[in-house]
């Protein structure tokens, strides 16, 4: 806060300087108000005001908060004096001597009552007062407020610095604990989760103490560094156990993910058999198709059974069963793919015959005989068989053979 020049308390203000003096005092009051508002809007002040403080911090804050409340009381008293002075000044355009004297008494005299105490009956005189008041001038009040403000601001800065230092040490431990918690949840191991929960409780309790008593925990000889180091050490121990469990789970997860993909592939191929079969029956004339394979449901159940071994921690047996299942999946996939290929081959055979028919049609056209009889009749017979649903592949193959032979005959020399 600014320093203020001393005025002789009873030097009267004049018409020439009364307005300037009131303006100066009003500006001072504005700066005081801004400073107090800024102080109470400061984050550390709000935290001190709202946190459940304890220990050294609580004791010191009780004294400082009382001083801050007194600062507001002093400011209110200061503003009341100025208001009374401005009210007197506003009565007339040109103040009278008695107005100037009254304003002078308010702004330069002891116009603010600091305290009032009763005089003990044994100390009173017949004509003496029953109470004595301690008063101060506006200038004296501002000087006293400046001192109290600095003490309050210094305390808040100390608390903030202590919080920053403590949290700078505690936050990395919290981050390691957070990562450990995520690992533990992913593993799902009960013992690891129980250990992590205990560490979280211990760290949370220590963090609450940081909020409650930053000055006490940052003082020399505080147990805080040792307690934090012990929590950090325990995090390392649990993290090592969690890493071992994570490795076991990773091996299991990698292996079973491959098996799961194989089961889904078998299921897809077996589902494809039914789709291809429907298409074949629609497009190809055939009495019997290869029997479908239906191994996917049983294989999926065997895969699910591996989880029970994992829960029981039977890792050796789990590896053996997973290997057996992998072999069964490979065999099932091969069998399912073979059936699908046999059925798809019928459709491919029809497309192959269609292609050959068109190729020989082009060959005949190059010879200038594409539409000659009986070549055209052979072509139409084969085409009708190949483009009719369902297609009689045997008859179409024979008809194509007749057309093919006739086209090839065009290359033979005429006798």
């Amino acid at each position: 806060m600014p320093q203020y020049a001393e005025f002789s308390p009873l030097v009267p203000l004049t018409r020439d300087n009364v307005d300037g003096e009131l303006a100066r005092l009003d500006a001072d009051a504005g700066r005081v108000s801004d400073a107090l508002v800024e102080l109470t809007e400061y984050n550390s002040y709000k935290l001190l005001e709202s946190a459940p403080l304890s220990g050294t911090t609580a004791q010191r804050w009780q004294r400082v908060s009382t001083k801050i409340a007194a600062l507001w009381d002093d400011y209110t008293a200061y503003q009341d004096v100025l208001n009374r002075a401005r009210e007197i000044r506003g009565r007339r355009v040109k103040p009278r001597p008695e107005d100037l004297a009254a304003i002078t008494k308010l702004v330069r005299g002891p116009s603010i009552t600091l305290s009032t105490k009763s005089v003990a009956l044994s100390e009173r005189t017949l004509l003496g007062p029953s109470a004595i008041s301690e008063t101060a001038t506006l200038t004296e009040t501002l000087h006293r407020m400046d001192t109290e403000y600095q003490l309050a601001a210094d305390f808040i800065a100390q608390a903030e610095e202590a919080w920053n230092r403590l949290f700078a040490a505690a936050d990395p431990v919290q981050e390691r604990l957070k990562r450990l918690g995520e690992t533990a949840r992913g593993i799902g191991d009960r013992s690891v989760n129980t250990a992590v929960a205990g560490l979280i409780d211990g760290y949370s309790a220590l963090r609450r103490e940081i909020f409650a008593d930053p000055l006490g925990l940052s003082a020399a000889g505080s147990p805080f560094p040792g307690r934090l180091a012990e929590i950090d050490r325990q995090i390392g121990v649990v993290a090592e156990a969690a890493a071992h469990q994570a490795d076991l789970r990773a091996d299991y997860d990698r292996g079973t993910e491959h098996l799961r993909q194989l089961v889904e592939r078998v299921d897809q191929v077996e589902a494809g058999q039914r789709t291809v079969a429907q298409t074949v029956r629609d497009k190809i004339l055939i009495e019997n198709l290869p029997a479908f394979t239906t191994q996917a449901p049983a294989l999926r159940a065997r895969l699910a059974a591996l989880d029970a071994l994992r829960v029981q921690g039977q890792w050796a047996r789990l590896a053996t069963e997973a290997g057996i299942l992998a072999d069964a999946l490979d065999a099932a996939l091969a069998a399912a793919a073979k059936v699908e290929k046999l059925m798809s081959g019928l459709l491919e055979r029809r497309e192959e015959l269609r292609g050959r028919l068109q190729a020989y049609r082009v060959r005949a056209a190059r010879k200038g005989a594409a539409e000659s009889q009986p070549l055209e009749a052979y072509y139409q017979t084969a085409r009708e068989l190949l483009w009719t649903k369902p297609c009689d592949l045997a008859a179409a193959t024979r008809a194509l053979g007749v057309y093919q032979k006739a086209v090839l005959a065009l290359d033979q020399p005429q006798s």
Side-chain angles (χ1 to χ4, degrees):
M1 291 185 183
Q3 297 297 318
Y4 302 93
E6 293 287 348
F7 291 92
S8 179
L10 297 180
V11 174
L13 294 167
T14 66
R15 288 179 179 176
D16 293 333
N17 64 14
V18 64
D19 290 332
E21 180 71 0
L22 290 177
R24 183 186 68 80
L25 294 172
D26 193 56
D28 288 345
R31 288 193 292 272
V32 169
S33 175
D34 290 344
L36 291 177
V37 169
E38 184 179 356
L39 181 70
T40 55
E41 288 297 317
Y42 199 63
N43 286 337
S44 294
Y45 173 89
K46 292 180 179 179
L47 190 56
L48 286 164
E49 194 174 40
S50 61
L53 301 179
S54 63
T56 302
T57 307
Q59 295 170 5
R60 292 186 59 187
W61 174 243
Q62 185 176 14
R63 295 193 295 270
V64 170
S65 61
T66 299
K67 291 181 181 296
I68 294 174
L71 283 172
W72 282 108
D73 291 340
D74 287 343
Y75 169 75
T76 300
Y78 186 99
Q79 194 67 52
D80 288 344
V81 170
L82 283 185
N83 289 339
R84 294 202 303 273
R86 281 195 295 265
E87 187 274 326
I88 295 172
R89 176 63 188 88
R91 291 174 185 174
R92 300 175 182 83
V93 175
K94 295 182 178 182
R96 295 175 180 174
E98 59 268 25
D99 295 333
L100 294 173
I103 294 173
T104 300
K105 183 178 181 181
L106 284 170
V107 301
R108 293 186 174 178
S111 53
I112 294 181
T113 301
L114 301 178
S115 63
T116 300
K117 62 179 180 179
S118 299
V119 178
L121 184 61
S122 60
E123 297 177 1
R124 293 183 190 176
T125 64
L126 181 62
L127 300 178
S130 60
I132 299 176
S133 296
E134 182 183 358
T135 59
T137 66
L138 294 184
T139 298
E140 292 168 345
T141 300
L142 283 178
H143 281 307
R144 189 184 69 258
M145 290 177 68
D146 186 53
T147 300
E148 298 296 333
Y149 176 88
Q150 289 297 333
L151 291 174
D154 288 346
F155 171 79
I156 293 172
Q158 290 172 20
E160 180 179 51
E161 193 276 334
W163 269 321
N164 289 340
R165 188 167 64 253
L166 293 170
F167 283 127
D171 285 348
V173 176
Q174 183 181 42
E175 187 60 31
R176 287 193 288 275
L177 186 55
K178 179 182 177 182
R179 291 196 299 269
L180 177 58
E182 292 171 351
T183 301
R185 286 191 294 273
I187 294 172
D189 184 85
R190 182 176 300 176
S191 62
V192 172
N193 281 326
T194 300
V196 171
L199 288 172
I200 290 175
D201 289 343
Y203 177 83
S204 298
L206 185 59
R207 197 171 181 88
R208 287 193 296 271
E209 291 183 38
I210 294 175
F211 275 109
D213 189 15
L215 297 179
L217 265 65
S218 61
S222 166
F224 169 78
R227 291 172 59 189
L228 185 64
E230 176 59 20
I231 292 174
D232 196 35
R233 186 193 68 79
Q234 292 179 16
I235 289 174
V237 172
V238 177
E240 185 176 352
H244 177 64
Q245 294 291 340
D247 288 343
L248 293 176
R249 172 163 183 157
D251 291 341
Y252 169 79
D253 289 343
R254 282 191 295 268
T256 53
E257 179 58 28
H258 175 65
L259 297 179
R260 188 172 292 107
Q261 291 174 1
L262 285 177
V263 170
E264 294 307 317
R265 180 60 183 151
V266 170
D267 191 42
Q268 291 170 5
V269 174
E270 290 184 343
Q273 292 174 7
R274 292 184 285 274
T275 301
V276 173
Q278 182 60 45
T279 303
V280 169
R281 290 192 180 96
D282 181 53
K283 296 182 177 182
I284 306 297
L285 182 63
I286 189 169
E287 292 185 5
N288 297 311
L289 287 172
F292 300 153
T293 59
T294 56
Q295 300 186 67
L299 292 169
R300 186 175 284 110
R302 288 175 62 181
L303 176 61
L306 295 181
D307 281 332
L309 298 177
R310 173 185 173 278
V311 172
Q312 298 166 11
Q314 298 185 41
W315 302 105
R317 183 181 172 190
L318 181 61
T320 300
E321 293 294 333
I324 295 172
L325 179 57
D327 292 341
L329 283 165
D330 289 339
L333 183 58
K338 181 179 179 180
V339 171
E340 184 183 40
K341 184 172 180 59
L342 286 173
M343 291 188 290
S344 297
L346 297 172
L347 297 172
E348 293 169 359
R349 173 63 176 166
R350 186 190 66 164
E351 294 306 311
E352 187 266 337
L353 292 175
R354 284 181 174 183
R356 284 172 56 191
L357 177 64
Q358 293 305 113
Y360 279 102
R361 174 76 163 173
V362 170
R363 187 167 181 170
R366 288 174 180 169
K367 296 290 185 179
E371 298 180 2
S372 63
Q373 294 292 339
L375 199 62
E376 177 65 13
Y378 297 153
Y379 170 79
Q380 291 297 335
T381 300
R383 189 183 190 287
E384 182 176 354
L385 287 169
L386 285 171
W387 267 268
T388 297
K389 293 195 303 183
C391 172
D392 187 338
L393 284 178
T397 300
R398 291 192 295 271
L400 176 60
V402 171
Y403 181 63
Q404 176 181 336
K405 184 176 181 181
V407 173
L408 293 176
L410 295 175
D411 295 332
Q412 301 297 323
Q414 300 295 321
S415 58

